[in-house]
Amino acid sequence: MSLPILRWRDEWRQPGAVRADLLAGLTGAIVVLPQGIAFATLAGMPAQYGLYAAMVPCMVAALFGSSRLMVTGPANAISLTTMAVVSPLAAVGSPHYVSLVLTLAFLVGLMQLLLGLARVGALVERVPHSVVVGFTAGAAVLIINSQLGPLLALPLPRNTSVLTNLTSAVERLPQVQPLALASGLATIVLAIVARPFNRIVPAMLVAVIGGTLVAKALAAAQPGWPPLATVQAVVAAWPPLSAPDLSVDTVRSLFGATLVMTLLALTEASAIARSMARLKGDTLDGNQEFIGQGLANLAGAFFSAFPASGSFNRSAVNLEAGARSPLAAASAAVLLLLLLIFVGPLARHLPLAVVAGLLFVVAWGLFDVREMRRIWRDEAHERAPMLVTLVATVTLSLEWAILLGITSALLVQRLVRGDRLS
């Protein structure tokens, strides 16, 4: 049996195809540098783990998946969910927390692989679109909530409700560090201004470099301001070997989280892969994509990668950069490793406020206002599932949000069928 990536051999024979894939891979490697660090922060992991998640999982998914252009690695909703489901079990960032997250990646990968081998990909693809839209919008609110403290340089408590966090921030407004706020806002503005030129130079890279330079300039101009907290240096380029903790107690404690993460990761990956296939006129083997995602997370768990899935942002960049085949994603993983050798130590100069500004931009991009309006206007039976999922995501645990969203969708469908029959 040949590797699924070899189905694109004819594509590589086309003039300029390999060159286009390698250039797209280089663009992807540059883009994921700031993104990986930001998503690691979102997942409660040390900065370098976000980059590790963009290496081995990205390579394995490209080799064994079915999608031509989807890029696998750290993703916004997956990273946020990781911290939400693991933080009640261990202190965020502690060695025990890191161990649990890597174990979660293994368990998610195992379940994804089993689902793919059992050929039940169609079941996950039936998760209502309105539930995914509502969950994504709710995740955006949670991302903003989690980064409010770093943006303002305020010591806000972790794992509190959105309302509690906002109240605490308002109460401490006199303590806001102007340098942090200015750096974060500069990052947001630069990301928006540079977006039209994203194909020439990655907008997020422009925002990170520009925001950091603004922070340095303001610090020099106002030496009396408190120094900014920064990201820890990325000291290793090659992801270190790791091993999941498969003790009975650990597996039992992560069982519910594994179910939620598997459903979310596969739903997100399937949606991105279907979108990319539609744009290119490709056929997509959903079960093979499940297998690819499962093997990616299984392998990643042994190379210090937290749970990975398809990435909306980098898949779109991959498409815009002119990628022709999965060789682009595979080469991005290798090129990222080479880039880290030279720029990894520079991460210690990156202010947390700049990372927060970057995540604010990412969060805003998750609000698909056009799609939410369309659902509200054209699909009356999808309104309730979307709203239930959104509200539950913001107010309850993410596990319950997905469950309640799907349940409400099934109830509405049943009521609609009942009205038709009567």
Side-chain angles (χ1 to χ4, degrees):
M1 188 176 86
S2 62
L3 285 173
I5 193 175
L6 295 181
R7 64 183 287 211
W8 306 104
R9 281 176 294 191
D10 290 341
E11 187 77 40
W12 300 335
R13 296 190 182 102
Q14 300 297 321
V18 172
R19 179 177 178 273
D21 278 341
L22 292 177
L23 287 176
L26 178 60
T27 302
I30 293 171
V31 167
V32 81
L33 277 170
Q35 277 192 344
I37 291 173
F39 290 148
T41 302
L42 201 58
M45 297 286 281
Q48 63 267 30
Y49 284 82
L51 301 173
Y52 299 155
M55 293 182 189
V56 172
C58 182
M59 172 75 75
V60 174
L63 291 174
F64 293 95
S66 175
S67 177
R68 178 200 293 254
L69 296 177
M70 185 175 71
V71 179
T72 295
N76 34 48
I78 299 299
S79 300
L80 178 70
T81 307
T82 296
M83 186 164 73
V85 298
V86 180
S87 59
L89 305 176
V92 172
S94 66
H96 183 44
Y97 179 89
V98 171
S99 175
L100 287 176
V101 169
L102 297 180
T103 303
L104 178 62
F106 177 87
L107 295 175
V108 168
L110 180 62
M111 186 165 290
Q112 289 174 324
L113 178 60
L114 292 176
L115 289 174
L117 293 175
R119 308 193 68 77
V120 295
L123 294 180
V124 174
E125 292 180 4
R126 290 178 184 172
V127 174
H129 179 59
S130 57
V131 172
V132 177
V133 171
F135 179 87
T136 305
V141 174
L142 294 181
I143 290 173
I144 292 173
N145 181 58
S146 71
Q147 295 305 304
L148 196 58
L151 182 72
L152 304 176
L154 292 177
L156 300 181
R158 283 184 177 269
N159 302 324
T160 56
S161 68
V162 174
L163 182 59
T164 301
N165 212 38
L166 284 174
T167 303
S168 184
V170 170
E171 291 173 350
R172 301 181 185 187
L173 278 180
Q175 304 171 31
V176 170
Q177 290 188 23
L179 181 55
L181 181 59
S183 304
L185 291 178
T187 303
I188 294 171
V189 171
L190 286 169
I192 295 171
V193 171
R195 187 171 291 163
F197 310 101
N198 196 58
R199 189 165 185 174
I200 301 172
V201 57
M204 286 195 170
L205 188 65
V206 171
V208 166
I209 294 174
T212 303
L213 291 176
V214 167
K216 296 285 186 184
L218 289 176
Q222 298 289 338
W225 282 352
L228 290 179
T230 59
V231 172
Q232 67 185 72
V234 179
V235 295
W238 179 255
L241 294 176
S242 57
D245 175 10
L246 299 180
S247 64
V248 174
D249 289 341
T250 298
V251 173
R252 186 187 295 117
S253 67
L254 291 172
F255 181 73
T258 300
L259 294 178
V260 172
M261 290 288 290
T262 300
L263 180 61
L264 175 61
L266 288 180
T267 300
E268 186 172 34
S270 295
I272 298 170
R274 288 202 305 269
S275 175
M276 293 292 116
R278 186 170 61 250
L279 288 172
K280 285 294 186 179
D282 295 331
T283 57
L284 182 72
D285 184 341
N287 291 309
Q288 185 61 48
E289 193 56 52
F290 278 26
I291 291 172
Q293 292 293 307
L295 291 173
N297 277 308
L298 279 174
F302 293 96
F303 289 91
S304 301
F306 58 78
S309 183
S311 166
F312 282 113
N313 294 326
R314 289 195 307 287
S315 297
V317 169
N318 199 37
L319 174 67
E320 286 295 316
R324 306 274 190 92
S325 77
L327 178 62
S331 63
V334 177
L335 292 169
L336 174 61
L337 177 63
L338 298 177
L339 283 174
L340 279 180
I341 295 173
F342 300 101
V343 303
L346 298 178
R348 71 181 187 277
H349 297 290
L350 180 60
L352 291 179
V354 170
V355 176
L358 194 67
L359 285 171
F360 265 68
V361 175
V362 169
W364 184 252
L366 291 178
F367 287 107
D368 194 342
V369 178
R370 181 182 300 176
E371 185 63 13
M372 294 173 78
R373 284 177 178 168
R374 187 196 66 77
I375 290 174
W376 192 264
R377 183 184 64 245
D378 300 334
E379 301 182 32
H381 63 285
E382 295 286 359
R383 294 174 186 169
M386 181 175 68
L387 286 177
V388 167
T389 309
L390 194 161
V391 173
T393 301
V394 174
T395 59
L396 303 175
S397 68
L398 300 184
E399 302 97 307
W400 279 105
I402 294 287
L403 181 60
L404 290 174
I406 294 174
T407 302
S408 64
L410 293 174
L411 289 174
V412 169
Q413 289 175 10
R414 196 162 189 176
L415 288 173
V416 170
R417 289 196 193 100
D419 289 341
R420 287 173 181 170
L421 291 175
S422 60

